[in-house]
Amino acid sequence: MGRDDPPVKATATSARVIDALLELDGATVTEVADHLDLSKSSTHNHLETLQRLGYIKQDGWQYHASLKFLEIGTTVRRRYELYQSGAEEAERLANAGFTANLVVLEDDAAVCIETAIAEDKETVVDTGDRLPLHCTAAGKALLAALSREEAESLLRETQLTEWTDNTLTDQAALFEDLAEAQNRGLASNREEWHEGVRGIAAAITDADDALLGAISVTGSTEQLSGKTFQQDVSGLVLSSANRIRKRIRQE
């Protein structure tokens, strides 16, 4: 039985209801029912159950996801060695004027578990975001840290979607880019995910060379260009990655 065919359909429907509330940023019974093509009575039953369990809150006629999900996410995040040892380094990069992220590999995406935002800077990647692997610096750093077979297996599960004119949608070209990232110890994104946005990232492994995640810096092309992009930020990200690895391997 595949992931698209869950064994308990009622649970799957409740999950879809939660997803709908997040996508719609809160909604009434009718709006959720219409969005999911469900009956109002079935939708109301799922909302009522989720409300009693504390997963959603009702405000007038509208329902919203509750802060219980923040509790869940915070608890889950503490289990990751990368977060425990890397949050300080992300903050260090933010203090240097750059927006930094810690990401881990989950299924076929790079998931951001921490964001440190530099003062007066906007962030493209926020905590909880799921990033495509083939066109983000963090995603490519994760792929480059895997074996060719592991990377190919992951890429078979996803499409090389063309986000911009710079996106690498040819697998051979992507693996050439990943080989360069392996040699440098750094992966980069030059407006491959969003126009006007660049990034640079380094993978983090433990003492047994098991992949734990990656640390990245993301910013505008104006901020990340020339010597800043090629040398300054690259050096900072590598230094942060090395300190995280050292900290993890000493624990």
Side-chain angles (χ1 to χ4, degrees):
M1 184 172 292
R3 291 175 59 192
D4 294 334
D5 187 21
V8 183
K9 292 185 177 180
T11 303
T13 301
S14 288
R16 290 179 62 212
V17 168
I18 292 170
D19 287 341
L21 291 177
L22 294 174
E23 185 176 342
L24 298 171
D25 195 20
T28 64
V29 173
T30 300
E31 289 168 341
V32 174
D34 290 344
H35 187 75
L36 298 177
D37 195 22
L38 297 172
S39 69
K40 289 184 182 180
S41 60
S42 174
T43 301
H44 182 268
N45 287 339
H46 284 281
L47 289 168
E48 178 89 3
T49 300
L50 290 167
Q51 183 179 9
R52 291 188 184 187
L53 293 173
Y55 289 98
I56 65 174
K57 295 293 182 184
Q58 186 174 6
D59 182 12
W61 295 104
Q62 284 210 327
Y63 293 86
H64 297 267
S66 77
L67 288 174
K68 189 175 185 69
F69 289 100
L70 179 61
E71 176 189 353
I72 294 169
T74 301
T75 301
V76 171
R77 184 172 67 171
R78 284 199 295 266
R79 293 191 289 116
Y80 286 90
E81 287 183 273
L82 178 63
Y83 174 73
Q84 296 170 16
S85 300
E88 179 182 334
E89 289 302 324
E91 192 62 37
R92 186 195 298 264
L93 289 170
N95 290 336
F98 304 100
T99 297
N101 305 99
L102 299 176
V103 302
V104 296
L105 181 64
E106 184 175 79
D107 299 327
D108 59 354
V111 182
C112 179
I113 61 172
E114 174 69 353
T115 297
I117 306 173
E119 187 176 356
D120 298 327
K121 295 290 189 301
E122 294 183 0
T123 180
V124 177
V125 180
D126 221 335
T127 303
D129 285 350
R130 302 179 71 85
L131 318 179
L133 295 173
H134 69 291
C135 58
T136 60
K140 289 197 284 186
L142 296 174
L143 286 173
L146 300 173
S147 69
R148 174 76 179 232
E149 292 74 19
E150 290 172 321
E152 287 180 340
S153 177
L154 270 178
L155 293 174
R156 278 196 294 270
E157 301 298 320
T158 184
Q159 290 185 328
L160 301 184
T161 302
E162 183 177 358
W163 291 82
T164 74
D165 290 341
N166 293 330
T167 306
L168 295 176
T169 57
D170 177 73
Q171 191 168 111
L174 175 60
F175 274 102
E176 287 182 13
D177 193 42
L178 295 179
E180 182 181 346
Q182 287 177 329
N183 291 332
R184 295 182 62 209
L186 287 167
S188 60
N189 152 36
R190 293 174 171 82
E191 299 186 73
E192 297 163 44
W193 185 32
H194 295 301
E195 291 184 5
V197 175
R198 288 183 170 184
I200 196 156
I204 310 294
T205 55
D206 64 13
D208 298 317
D209 287 328
L211 178 62
L212 300 178
I215 185 166
S216 68
V217 160
T218 304
S220 67
T221 53
E222 290 78 10
Q223 183 188 21
L224 302 180
S225 63
K227 178 176 175 292
T228 300
F229 187 65
Q230 296 292 341
Q231 298 179 29
D232 299 343
V233 177
S234 297
L236 289 172
V237 171
L238 273 177
S239 295
S240 287
N242 288 333
R243 281 191 291 267
I244 296 171
R245 291 189 198 103
K246 183 178 179 180
R247 196 172 297 135
I248 288 173
R249 295 173 187 188
Q250 288 177 338
E251 291 176 351

